[in-house]
Amino acid sequence: MKARGAVIHQVGGQWEVQDLEVSEPAEDEILVKVMASGLCHSDDHFVTGDIPVNLPMVGGHEGAGIVEKVGSRVTRVKPGDHIATLFIPACGVCKYCVRGQSYICNNGAGMETGMAMDGTARFHDTDGNPIGGVTRLGSFSNYLVCHETQAVKLPDDIPFDLACLVSCGVATGYGAAVNAAPVRPGDVVLVMGLGGVGANAVQGAKHAGADHIIVVDPAENKMELAAGFGATAAFTSIDEARPLIAQLTNGQGVDVTIVTVGRVDGDIIGEGFDTVGKAGSLVLVSVGSHERSLSVSPQDMTNLAKSIKGVMYGNCRPLGDIPRLLDMYRTGSIKLDELVTNRYKLDDINQAVEDMHAGRNIRGVVVHEH
């Protein structure tokens, strides 16, 4: 199968759009005609080296498309089905899946290689050299091959450019508030960063019943956008937000702070942790520094019973939660259309990344041509 995709060849480089060859699916794999792919900040971490992977690599993991072909042992989907890609497999049988923790399925091991589960490549360049796919996917290509456990069937009536967002950003942000925190009715919640994940953390906090949802993001254009997703206040810095936090909490601090900034480090974690009140939680969604340093007070953590929680994939069960989120979109309980700020052709991928860095987008989406 001939394909066209955006590839990163070296840390610090730019995405290069090139012709690709896509292998036939193995007996437990599917060939997907990718219709749309969200521009998630995680893909940028492969470029910066924050997430070490084997390069070259076809980017993209937030995908939606149509099943073109299936292997002989595939049972979850069939040709013609609309699917969203799962950047973590959900095998359903490992220790974590059977405990309801498919967001840390054992089959996620080795994804940094970009190779399929059998250790071989599904993408090749026109000279036959193997190329990996981000999280064994590579939705910046208009065709990909993945394991059936990395696909969830979608209703046919959901547009692909919205469905792709639910495969990562929506599930991650919404789940960070509802599953990981968890936000409770009456809570005061702070969300740090209003991108494609942060906007959905706001939606999740609202749906969970928070009385006050405060957004902090340095981009001025996002101040008005925050209210549309359910924020009750928005500021460009935590310092600006402190008087309101003190007023709403009698000086105690928020119940939950959710960190969804583009790149996190120990100082940002410390700044967020300081906003949390007694028995409150800092929920860490963002990816960033590998340094073993957190600017937090162990005494505050102990004496005030505060906690820091890491969250992967919104601690969701994607096979059930993604269809449920789409049902919520149908009924107006969550917003998807408003998440898409700009749509791009694949050839404009580097402009899309620049817009993401500049804070111009809630979410940008690549719409593939075929």
Side-chain angles (χ1 to χ4, degrees):
M1 169 68 71
K2 303 287 185 182
R4 198 159 178 267
V7 181
I8 188 70
H9 288 269
Q10 60 185 8
V11 171
Q14 287 200 317
W15 296 100
E16 298 180 21
V17 177
Q18 62 185 76
D19 293 331
L20 300 166
E21 299 279 349
V22 181
S23 301
E24 287 290 305
E27 59 184 7
D28 50 6
E29 294 177 338
I30 63 175
L31 171 66
V32 180
K33 181 181 183 179
V34 185
M35 303 302 292
S37 178
L39 285 146
C40 180
H41 214 110
S42 293
D43 288 293
D44 194 56
H45 291 299
F46 306 126
V47 178
T48 63
D50 286 330
I51 302 178
V53 295
N54 293 356
L55 299 178
M57 187 85 75
V58 179
H61 62 279
E62 196 175 72
I66 304 168
V67 177
E68 292 276 292
K69 189 181 294 187
V70 301
S72 60
R73 293 176 56 187
V74 170
T75 59
R76 290 193 183 182
V77 294
K78 64 184 184 303
D81 282 350
H82 292 194
I83 64 101
T85 56
L86 305 181
F87 71 90
I88 299 289
C91 75
V93 296
C94 73
K95 177 175 86 170
Y96 300 102
C97 282
V98 298
R99 293 197 313 205
Q101 297 173 303
S102 52
Y103 51 88
I104 47 173
C105 173
N106 272 341
N107 281 350
M111 290 194 307
E112 68 279 359
T113 67
M115 300 293 115
M117 290 187 190
D118 65 4
T120 62
R122 293 298 176 266
F123 290 111
H124 295 81
D125 65 20
T126 53
D127 292 326
N129 299 307
I131 299 177
V134 163
T135 66
R136 299 197 181 106
L137 292 171
S139 58
F140 287 174
S141 170
N142 59 356
Y143 288 92
L144 64 81
V145 166
C146 69
H147 198 273
E148 68 168 329
T149 59
Q150 286 191 261
V152 57
K153 190 177 182 302
L154 298 172
D156 290 350
D157 63 322
I158 303 294
F160 292 110
D161 58 347
L162 302 182
C164 68
L165 306 181
V166 183
S167 72
C168 175
V170 177
T172 297
Y174 184 91
V178 174
N179 301 327
V183 173
R184 296 169 293 186
D187 276 355
V188 178
V189 177
L190 174 67
V191 177
M192 298 172 62
L194 193 78
V197 175
N200 291 293
V202 172
Q203 295 202 88
K206 178 183 178 181
H207 193 257
D211 274 358
H212 301 278
I213 306 167
I214 303 165
V215 164
V216 170
D217 191 293
E220 292 279 357
N221 63 302
K222 294 184 179 178
M223 297 300 97
E224 290 185 15
L225 294 172
F229 295 105
T232 54
F235 301 92
T236 56
S237 71
I238 284 181
D239 283 343
E240 290 181 4
R242 290 189 197 282
L244 179 61
I245 292 172
Q247 176 188 332
L248 295 175
T249 66
N250 194 30
Q252 298 295 302
V254 302
D255 299 291
V256 175
T257 290
I258 304 174
V259 182
T260 59
V261 300
R263 185 184 188 278
V264 75
D265 59 29
D267 289 337
I268 292 173
I269 293 171
E271 188 177 28
F273 188 75
D274 287 345
T275 67
V276 175
K278 291 185 289 187
S281 298
L282 178 109
V283 179
L284 179 59
V285 185
S286 302
V287 174
S289 171
H290 289 276
E291 295 175 5
R292 295 177 177 268
S293 62
L294 296 178
S295 300
V296 302
S297 164
Q299 192 171 101
D300 281 355
M301 186 175 287
T302 301
N303 292 352
L304 302 180
K306 294 161 63 169
S307 63
I308 299 176
K309 297 181 178 181
V311 54
M312 170 57 71
Y313 216 157
N315 288 11
C316 74
R317 292 175 291 178
L319 292 178
D321 287 348
I322 286 176
R324 182 172 63 88
L325 287 165
L326 291 174
D327 284 341
M328 292 170 64
Y329 165 67
R330 281 199 185 100
T331 61
S333 298
I334 63 169
K335 297 180 178 182
L336 297 182
D337 301 82
E338 294 81 356
L339 294 170
V340 183
T341 313
N342 286 296
R343 293 168 176 82
Y344 302 88
K345 294 182 178 180
L346 181 64
D347 286 333
D348 299 323
I349 183 72
N350 288 303
Q351 179 62 55
V353 172
E354 181 183 325
D355 290 345
M356 178 181 68
H357 287 163
R360 300 186 187 108
N361 291 343
I362 296 294
R363 202 50 134 208
V365 174
V366 170
V367 178
H368 284 294
E369 298 175 327
H370 294 276

